Amino acid sequence: MAATSTNPENRETPGTGTTGGAATPTTPTRRGTELVLLGFAAVVVTCALTLVNLNQESQPTNQILYYGLAFLALFGLAHLAVRRWAPYADPLILPLVAFLNGLGLVLIHRIDLGNAAEAERAGETFNPAAPSQVLYTALGLVLLTLVLLLVKDHRTLAKYSYTCGLVGLVALALPAVLPSVIAPNINGAKLWIKLGPLSFQPAELAKILLLVFFASFLVSKRELFTTAGRRFLGIDFPRARDLAPVLVAWAASIGIVVLERDLGTSLLFFGIVLVMIYIATERAVWIAIGLSLFAAGCLAAYSLFGHVQQRVDAWLNPMTSDAGYQLRKGLFGMATGGIGGSGLGGGRPSIVPYAENDFILAAAAEELGLLGLAALLLVYLLLTARGLRAALAVRDSFGKLLAGGLAFAMSLQVFVVAGGVTGLIPLTGLTTPFLAAGGSSLVGNYVLVGLLLRISDASRRPQQPSKPQPQQPPIAEAHTELVERPR
Amino acid sequence: MNKPLRRVAVAMMAMIVLLLANATYVQVIRADALRNHSGNSRTLYQQYSTPRGQIIADGKLLASSEPTGSERFEYKREYADGPAFAPATGYFSFVYGTGGVESAENEVLSGTSDSLALNRLQSMLTGQQQQGGNVELTLNPAMQQAAYQQLAGDGVRGSVVALNPRDGSILAMANSPSYDPNRLATLSSDDQQQAWNELSEAPDDPLVNRATSTLYPPGSTFKLITAAAALESGEYDYDSEVTAKSSIKLPKVDAQLPNYGGATCGTMPTAPLWEAMARSCNTAFAEVAGKVGEKKLRETARSFGFGRDLDVPMSVAPSSVGDIENQAQLYQSGIGQFNVRTTPMQNAMVAAAIANDGEVMKPHLVDKTLAPDMSVLDSTDSEELGRAVSPEIAHTIRDMMVKAEQYAGDEGKISGVQIASKTGTAEHGEGKDPHGWYVAFAPAEDPQIAVAAVVEDGGDVGASATGSKIAAPVARAVIRAGLQGGG
């Protein structure tokens, strides 16, 4: 897939790809490419599923072919929606997402098989995670279609920025303020809202809503941030009142750590705000200020809160600390996988607690090896790079900031999760986008991708000439004119 | 805003590169250390994921791997008739490692042996599950069971070793008390721990393989070696007259050495050597030892295998004549007291050497190693350890042992089978009941089985115990089982 990503797209942006000398440049929609790539993703996912079944000692059946076709049909419908409502959208985004989601389903199914065998031995009942993940995939694709259908132009979102911001903040804070009956404390973090059989993690949606708010807010107040305040130690510091949004974001993220004990969302939230301010102002000093604030916040959180200390201890001493149990099991799994991996269905990923969500990357690393993990990370890089491409190419500032923020949000989330699982940084409670089991995460990320598709559609759509250029005669055809007779 | 967006793209790439570098570190550089980490249960699960080979003896399955249906431990080790065969099979525990043949032939049983490399390649190519090789033991199951039942049925402590004198193959090797290796092969580490603690703290050391590891004073059975030394010296023959006194004074010390029960050796002042052997006269053999000298006695003992390190494949503790500082100690050593110590295995080798016309065969327990398809990988050739005595001397001692059998008790005698034997009653400390010994081979004219049995501390008889009372019936039952197919 990497080969198709780099070059050809650049030449198809409006105005650069005209080769036939036609009067109006036509941008190819590349929807055919998208369909072919979706088919490719379906083939890869079907093969992966076949491998799991073969390695788990059951015969390959026609059933698997039907699953593959159903997968292709599901994303085929999304493809049709893109064809209809965002015809110029980036043709790589949807296939990459389909690939990740499909492989995630295969991995979850595989871990289900392991957990089911273990539960059977122990005489317990077992609820597989894969069927609900299929359901959430369908729901996510419906929401993606709705985003494309309802948000005809991403700039309309800017009009609802304050609404988005308010709803986002409320959603973010909701689990913390709601009583434990509705918002139970799961694994030491209060992130979930449970209504009967339904459970939902509002932070996933809040992330996108707050992104919309910040993009709009920063674009409108851009000048304020670029004005320098006092000059101190050779650095232009912003005026104190202009620091307010950063301070608010910082305080909010600290609040998340304290009230919801969600280190991951806090880190993600603060990182996104920081990068968006940097993109909007083009001033690196904001990053420096933000990182110092973050470092101070981290130190304070470490010295004040036991659960933060526990996480850091687990990170530094995964082999000895009690809290490092999960990380330890994950690292053992990754080491067992080695370079080539045990093969899908050939490892023991279900030894790692919560392998199907928090630690799905460890499961992938065990069964697909370092090569598989590297491929997955590169797919994420590709996906987020396509998002950034849309940001670079789109013409309005709001679109640029929103797409940049969305792409970076996903990238940072992958970094935080993968870094945590592989022991690079302390473990936090974030999910791997599209790969991990989890309804709200999947649905939220489909909304995010819907917005990226919308913005990339806007960036590649041929621009309607707003006013016709006056036709000027070519210089070569202009007749000469005598200005002054030389003496 | 494009410049910061491009920088964000670079940052995203840097994050992925960091993740890849760390994943490489975990999955390649640190992988071996993680795989071999003591807390890593995966290595263990790996051992339990392929069926370990069988341990077989004469068509009887002694140890096998049964599927459990669990993903973590796919196979469980099962021992048929565990306690009876435990000294041979050993145990296979994921907490406490392996013992016995399970340990000595681990590479074949687990399938990692070099001789199974071709089989591994084959199963890899055909996609079949890898299997361990099998080990066929030399044990005669009927004799082994008879040996164990004789000891355990009476609730006595002791050991029996039976050899094929012609090739050194171990026909029986039983201990009492024994242990059930199934308890150490359970899938619950708690159960294993409990079993291990019980067994290792039990006062009678059930985990010790008495046959190869426990050194007992051989008592009168050592007179066979004293007689061999005497005959070899050329000073004695079958009819040489030796003292028949009921008691003699030990040289240079103020102590008497009496015969058993204070009896004289027959009715005459002297007795022929054969009668001294048949009646087991201490006074006669003490003087013989004194005349033959320490050097000759040691040489002869060494030629029977004393002082040698043997692997059968479990290691056999070297038997020893011990330190002899003066003539009095030599007298006592000559009748198997003082510092003379021997294992049941060594004593069986003495009987086997006499039965085998003076040639000592190296005892061995493993007959063949077999590939998973039962084709022979390797078979153990019988190996000569050396000549103990000339055939003539061996025949002379055999004739003495035939006479000795007539003086031993009648319990458990087999009609129609001439046994050649020597009893022993070894004192081992003030106030302790003596150990009873019986070494024998049968049929005397065509030896097929050589056996040594020891029953500790008077068995179930107490202070009045003699070798013929407590050990002879045990060994005779084993001989009967061997000659009459367990009938």
Side-chain angles (χ1 to χ4, degrees):
Chain A
M1 268 190 188
T4 54
S5 74
T6 48
N7 285 324
E9 287 304 307
N10 287 332
R11 286 189 232 109
E12 284 139 22
T13 40
T16 56
T18 51
T19 46
T24 50
T26 53
T27 307
T29 60
R30 305 298 301 266
R31 295 274 66 84
T33 311
E34 184 179 78
L35 190 59
V36 169
L37 287 177
L38 276 174
F40 179 67
V43 169
V44 171
V45 168
T46 310
C47 288
L49 189 62
T50 312
L51 276 176
V52 168
N53 270 37
L54 283 177
N55 267 328
Q56 292 286 309
E57 286 171 60
S58 53
Q59 295 293 314
T61 54
N62 290 338
Q63 198 85 31
I64 289 170
L65 203 60
Y66 296 140
Y67 285 140
L69 288 173
F71 176 80
L72 189 57
L74 202 59
F75 280 92
L77 286 174
H79 164 75
L80 287 179
V82 173
R83 203 178 263 273
R84 173 81 180 78
W85 290 298
Y88 290 95
D90 193 314
L92 273 180
I93 292 178
L94 193 62
L96 287 172
V97 165
F99 174 80
L100 289 170
N101 195 348
L103 203 64
L105 278 169
V106 172
L107 283 170
I108 292 163
H109 170 63
R110 189 266 164 277
I111 295 161
D112 274 349
L113 291 178
N115 285 337
E118 212 41 53
E120 191 185 0
R121 196 177 67 83
E124 293 158 1
T125 52
F126 170 71
N127 292 319
S132 59
Q133 183 80 346
V134 172
L135 211 67
Y136 282 119
T137 302
L139 184 63
L141 285 169
V142 168
L143 277 176
L144 177 133
T145 308
L146 279 179
V147 167
L148 294 180
L149 176 68
L150 296 177
V151 186
K152 288 274 187 246
D153 185 344
H154 62 270
R155 281 170 294 190
T156 51
L157 285 174
K159 287 179 202 156
Y160 305 104
S161 67
Y162 280 94
T163 319
C164 283
L166 193 67
V167 174
L169 264 184
V170 169
L172 197 61
L174 211 52
V177 285
L178 283 177
S180 294
V181 186
I182 307 171
N185 193 323
I186 298 173
N187 300 325
K190 228 170 160 245
L191 315 173
W192 295 84
I193 291 180
K194 253 186 142 73
L195 291 171
L198 293 171
S199 61
F200 194 74
Q201 206 172 349
E204 293 288 350
L205 199 69
K207 181 178 73 188
I208 297 167
L209 290 173
L210 288 169
L211 255 162
V212 171
F213 165 71
F214 259 96
S216 159
F217 178 79
L218 286 171
V219 165
S220 62
K221 299 276 185 335
R222 242 178 114 188
E223 295 72 25
L224 281 178
F225 291 102
T226 42
T227 358
R230 211 162 283 159
R231 199 176 162 82
F232 182 63
L233 292 172
I235 304 167
D236 288 325
F237 277 93
R239 289 182 301 177
R241 63 173 180 196
D242 300 337
L243 269 170
V246 190
L247 291 172
V248 167
W250 179 71
S253 57
I254 295 296
I256 296 167
V257 182
V258 177
L259 293 171
E260 303 184 0
R261 306 195 151 195
D262 185 3
L263 303 177
T265 304
S266 160
L267 175 61
L268 186 65
F269 187 63
F270 193 66
I272 293 169
V273 170
L274 210 57
V275 164
M276 285 179 76
I277 291 177
Y278 169 63
I279 296 172
T281 60
E282 308 195 10
R283 291 191 60 206
V285 69
W286 287 104
I287 301 275
I289 293 169
L291 286 181
S292 341
L293 274 173
F294 184 71
C298 283
L299 280 175
Y302 179 76
S303 54
L304 285 177
F305 304 115
H307 64 277
V308 181
Q309 284 165 10
Q310 219 175 34
R311 291 287 175 100
V312 173
D313 182 41
W315 171 55
L316 292 175
N317 311 303
M319 296 298 146
T320 47
S321 69
D322 285 344
Y325 178 79
Q326 193 185 18
L327 179 60
R328 183 160 67 233
K329 294 277 162 186
L331 288 176
F332 288 153
M334 292 181 65
T336 306
I339 297 174
S342 63
L344 276 169
R348 291 183 184 77
S350 37
I351 290 178
V352 185
Y354 299 101
E356 71 279 5
N357 41 49
D358 282 18
F359 268 66
I360 197 150
L361 278 175
E366 180 183 352
E367 298 216 316
L368 300 171
L370 177 64
L371 298 175
L373 181 65
L376 269 175
L377 291 176
L378 290 178
V379 167
Y380 278 113
L381 181 63
L382 211 51
L383 181 59
T384 48
R386 299 312 288 188
L388 272 191
R389 256 199 57 75
L392 280 169
V394 82
R395 293 164 195 87
D396 66 300
S397 300
F398 172 70
K400 274 184 190 298
L401 204 47
L402 183 57
L406 290 171
F408 181 76
M410 187 181 286
S411 183
L412 185 61
Q413 187 158 354
V414 170
F415 178 75
V416 169
V417 174
V421 169
T422 59
L424 183 65
I425 58 170
L427 194 62
T428 57
L430 286 179
T431 51
T432 322
F434 296 108
L435 215 57
S440 31
S441 161
L442 200 56
V443 169
N445 277 309
Y446 268 111
V447 171
L448 189 156
V449 162
L451 289 175
L452 275 184
L453 282 172
R454 167 53 67 224
I455 296 170
S456 78
D457 174 61
S459 74
R460 295 178 74 250
R461 191 184 290 275
Q463 201 170 14
Q464 297 300 320
S466 46
K467 44 184 177 185
Q469 297 276 314
Q471 199 80 34
Q472 279 188 331
I475 304 280
E477 286 170 31
H479 53 84
T480 53
E481 206 173 313
L482 185 71
V483 180
E484 194 182 350
R485 179 183 286 272
R487 290 180 190 267
Chain B
M1 287 198 279
N2 282 0
K3 203 173 102 190
L5 278 173
R6 285 182 210 282
R7 290 212 175 128
V8 167
V10 172
M12 282 174 9
M13 248 176 263
M15 289 195 294
I16 297 290
V17 168
L18 251 175
L19 289 176
L20 286 177
N22 190 55
T24 309
Y25 171 65
V26 171
Q27 294 197 268
V28 182
I29 297 163
R30 208 173 142 205
D32 272 335
L34 285 170
R35 277 185 218 126
N36 298 329
H37 192 273
S38 59
N40 190 348
S41 47
R42 281 166 191 271
T43 323
L44 220 72
Y45 297 147
Q46 188 59 40
Q47 286 187 337
Y48 280 79
S49 70
T50 53
R52 195 174 165 83
Q54 300 172 336
I55 302 179
I56 318 156
D58 195 22
K60 181 180 165 70
L61 198 58
L62 304 183
S64 57
S65 284
E66 304 300 329
T68 59
S70 152
E71 196 201 352
R72 299 190 177 187
F73 295 106
E74 290 167 49
Y75 293 90
K76 178 180 181 297
R77 201 65 168 154
E78 281 181 10
Y79 298 90
D81 244 329
F85 289 88
T89 59
Y91 54 86
F92 180 69
S93 153
F94 58 76
V95 183
Y96 299 100
T98 52
V101 167
E102 292 276 25
S103 168
E105 295 291 343
N106 184 43
E107 288 195 345
V108 169
L109 291 167
S110 65
T112 53
S113 162
D114 288 342
S115 56
L116 285 165
L118 207 65
N119 291 77
R120 283 199 299 275
L121 187 70
Q122 213 172 10
S123 56
M124 201 176 83
L125 291 178
T126 56
Q128 282 172 339
Q129 192 178 35
Q130 194 186 312
Q131 280 186 311
N134 304 307
V135 173
E136 168 122 33
L137 302 185
T138 57
L139 289 183
N140 177 324
M143 289 172 75
Q144 178 74 16
Q145 262 154 342
Y148 179 68
Q149 274 159 19
Q150 282 294 318
L151 294 171
D154 292 340
V156 298
R157 276 167 285 128
S159 178
V160 177
V161 173
L163 300 172
N164 179 338
R166 300 291 176 216
D167 63 9
S169 56
I170 298 173
L171 300 172
M173 180 168 68
N175 291 321
S176 171
S178 189
Y179 63 95
D180 188 352
N182 286 309
R183 291 189 67 195
L184 295 172
T186 59
L187 297 184
S188 147
S189 55
D190 289 346
D191 290 352
Q192 282 190 22
Q193 198 178 357
Q194 197 195 340
W196 182 267
N197 288 343
E198 273 176 31
L199 290 170
S200 56
E201 284 161 19
D204 295 335
D205 300 327
L207 286 171
V208 170
N209 187 350
R210 289 170 151 78
T212 55
S213 306
T214 307
L215 290 158
Y216 299 92
S220 298
T221 59
F222 193 73
K223 287 169 185 163
L224 294 172
I225 287 173
T226 307
L231 292 170
E232 278 215 306
S233 71
E235 311 277 319
Y236 293 87
D237 61 21
Y238 185 71
D239 293 313
S240 294
E241 291 294 325
V242 291
T243 182
K245 282 184 188 164
S246 65
S247 179
I248 54 166
K249 183 185 168 294
L250 287 175
K252 291 172 190 169
V253 287
D254 188 22
Q256 292 284 317
L257 190 149
N259 279 340
Y260 180 76
T264 55
C265 217
T267 51
M268 315 292 279
T270 59
L273 187 61
W274 68 262
E275 194 177 359
M277 175 72 85
R279 291 178 184 271
S280 199
C281 300
N282 289 340
T283 53
F285 279 92
E287 277 193 3
V288 169
K291 288 220 174 115
V292 165
E294 179 188 341
K295 187 164 169 269
K296 183 68 198 161
L297 194 65
R298 281 189 188 281
E299 260 174 36
T300 309
R302 172 139 195 104
S303 69
F304 276 95
F306 275 65
R308 297 184 80 134
D309 285 306
L310 286 177
D311 290 304
V312 297
M314 44 285 283
S315 67
V316 180
S319 300
S320 147
V321 177
D323 289 336
I324 300 172
E325 284 169 10
N326 54 41
Q327 198 69 1
Q329 294 179 357
L330 177 61
Y331 270 45
Q332 289 174 285
S333 300
I335 57 167
Q337 292 288 347
F338 199 62
N339 278 335
V340 186
R341 295 291 180 271
T342 175
T343 57
M345 180 65 72
Q346 173 59 54
N347 237 353
M349 284 164 69
V350 171
I354 296 166
N356 194 34
D357 303 329
E359 190 77 52
V360 187
M361 305 304 291
K362 182 182 183 292
H364 62 272
L365 184 61
V366 174
D367 187 26
K368 300 184 197 98
T369 52
L370 307 160
D373 62 1
M374 288 300 188
S375 63
V376 177
L377 293 172
D378 188 25
S379 59
T380 310
D381 297 325
S382 56
E383 190 184 324
E384 294 168 5
L385 278 182
R387 178 161 286 283
V389 287
S390 67
E392 294 73 34
I393 292 175
H395 294 159
T396 308
I397 301 173
R398 177 193 67 196
D399 294 343
M400 292 178 180
M401 288 172 77
V402 171
K403 297 281 189 193
E405 175 71 2
Q406 289 162 8
Y407 282 89
D410 285 348
E411 201 183 330
K413 276 202 172 160
I414 312 161
S415 61
V417 176
Q418 179 61 61
I419 296 178
S421 75
K422 181 73 198 82
T423 57
T425 309
E427 287 167 2
H428 59 102
E430 214 51 48
K432 287 183 187 165
D433 295 333
H435 297 324
W437 276 100
Y438 185 80
V439 299
F441 57 87
E445 59 280 6
D446 175 27
Q448 291 168 28
I449 296 162
V451 63
V454 64
V455 174
E456 292 175 19
D457 296 322
D460 51 359
V461 191
S464 67
T466 61
S468 62
K469 263 190 210 161
I470 56 176
V474 174
R476 284 177 188 145
V478 175
I479 292 172
R480 186 191 301 117
L483 294 181
Q484 299 171 0

